[in-house]
Amino acid sequence: MFITFEGIDGSGKSTQARRLAEALRTDHNVVLTREPGGSQGAEEIRRLVLEGDPDRWSAETEILLFTAARRDHLEKTIRPALEAGRIVISDRFADSTRLYQGITRGDLRGQVDALHALMIGREPDLTFIIDIDPAVGLARAFARKGTEERFEEMGEAMQHTMRAGFLALAAEFPTRCVVIDGGRAPEAVAADVLAVAQGRLT
Ligand code: ADP
Ligand code: TYD
């Protein structure tokens, strides 16, 4: 089973992906991974896309870079693990490209989808969309700090657009997407996530 976590920056994806991996590890062989990254080559591309000037790449170049990273991640990490019968949990996947590159700088969703169909062609079995007020998410993300701030510097207005976009995506893919209220204590969010995942695993 291939499970992904999506949502705006600071929504709690990494926290919840880690908690779900820990909870499922008692009964399953679990691989916890992330995007951009998750394989050696993709982690190298991660540095190119997340560090530096926010205007460093055009949206079109970003689509290529994120998709190149995803292809390497799929070949080296995700596909081998799924073929070995393991559960793969990824912190972000293609929905992030559909949103971040697809809508933030013009309507490029068609190009994102075309490249995805050509080069990736795999959707998750289950996607958790962690939904949160952008002001809360941004405050959490800035409190965390670091050098990977190209996208977090987009500001709160864009985070509102992204939040609406993720909810629209959940409506577009209702079979695999489940929206979870991330504005609660981590334990409460984790309990909901685990209940849904266990329901799908049985
Ligand atoms: P994301 O991966 O979506 O950016 P993280 O899981 O890294 O989010 O969480 C961002 C920050 O918020 C971290 O410092 C984390 O400890 C904190 N955090 C995560 N979930 C919660 C929560 N439910 N309530 C309060 N703080 C949280
Ligand atoms: P991530 O490390 O998950 O950041 P955070 O924990 O703050 O959510 O992702 C880094 C950034 O990369 C995030 O702002 C979203 C962006 N991103 C894209 O723009 N396109 C993509 O395809 C992916 C996977 C991430």
Side-chain angles (χ1 to χ4, degrees):
M1 189 177 203
F2 179 29
I3 302 174
T4 60
F5 282 81
E6 299 279 1
I8 62 173
D9 299 317
S11 56
K13 296 176 302 298
S14 314
T15 304
Q16 294 303 326
R18 194 169 55 242
R19 279 176 170 268
L20 180 65
E22 281 162 14
L24 293 180
R25 264 188 192 127
T26 50
D27 293 319
H28 303 272
N29 195 330
V30 179
V31 174
L32 176 60
T33 184
R34 68 161 181 188
E35 289 206 350
S39 62
Q40 195 186 330
E43 290 289 334
E44 287 178 25
I45 297 172
R46 179 182 178 100
R47 282 191 288 281
L48 294 177
V49 285
L50 296 192
E51 295 178 17
D53 193 317
D55 298 326
R56 184 175 185 186
W57 309 109
S58 72
E60 289 83 354
T61 309
E62 272 176 18
I63 295 172
L64 293 166
L65 288 168
F66 280 109
T67 306
R70 180 162 306 126
R71 175 75 197 203
D72 194 61
H73 186 207
L74 189 68
E75 286 178 8
K76 308 273 172 50
T77 305
I78 299 174
R79 220 185 265 147
L82 291 174
E83 281 166 8
R86 305 171 84 181
I87 294 176
V88 175
I89 300 176
S90 185
D91 180 356
R92 293 194 186 278
F93 188 65
D95 293 326
S96 285
T97 318
R98 291 187 173 105
L99 268 284
Y100 285 83
Q101 283 65 50
I103 67 171
T104 56
R105 284 169 288 169
D107 182 9
L108 296 178
R109 174 71 192 275
Q111 295 185 29
V112 172
D113 284 342
L115 197 58
H116 179 80
L118 191 65
M119 287 296 165
I120 309 298
R122 178 72 163 88
E123 298 296 345
D125 302 302
L126 173 61
T127 297
F128 289 105
I129 303 217
I130 309 295
D131 182 49
I132 196 158
D133 180 341
V136 177
L138 268 187
R140 287 184 191 167
F142 277 119
R144 189 182 45 193
K145 279 279 180 232
T147 52
E148 296 178 340
E149 285 173 358
R150 273 192 65 232
F151 291 89
E152 279 150 18
E153 281 163 7
M154 282 177 179
E156 198 175 322
M158 187 52 76
Q159 298 292 339
H160 278 280
T161 305
M162 298 302 294
R163 179 194 202 179
F166 276 118
L167 294 176
L169 210 69
E172 188 182 338
F173 300 105
T175 313
R176 71 173 166 90
C177 291
V178 177
V179 178
I180 302 280
D181 174 8
R184 299 169 292 155
E187 300 73 31
V189 181
D192 279 8
V193 166
L194 182 60
V196 172
Q198 279 174 334
R200 299 280 176 117
L201 279 162
T202 52

